[in-house]
Amino acid sequence: MADGYLEKHYADYEARKAAWLRKKKHQPKSGNSRKIERPDDESL
């Protein structure tokens, strides 16, 4: 194989990973913000 083959592919992987992490950081959290209301009488 040519010199630098693994290094180039690893650099490409690092660039894709960094882009994915930047995109992930700016997305809203899903579904965890809903609060479950408890009944007033908890003996039920």
Side-chain angles (χ1 to χ4, degrees), residues 21-43:
L21 286 173
R22 278 194 306 273
K23 182 180 176 186
K24 180 182 174 197
K25 185 184 269 189
H26 294 298
Q27 296 207 353
K29 298 196 180 207
S30 62
N32 294 339
S33 63
R34 292 179 45 187
K35 303 243 180 189
I36 298 174
E37 294 184 21
R38 293 186 175 190
D40 293 334
D41 183 13
E42 293 202 18
S43 64

Side-chain angles (χ1 to χ4, degrees), residues 9-23:
H9 282 274
Y10 187 71
D12 291 344
Y13 160 76
E14 287 291 327
R16 287 193 316 270
K17 180 180 174 184
W20 179 79
L21 286 173
R22 278 194 306 273
K23 182 180 176 186

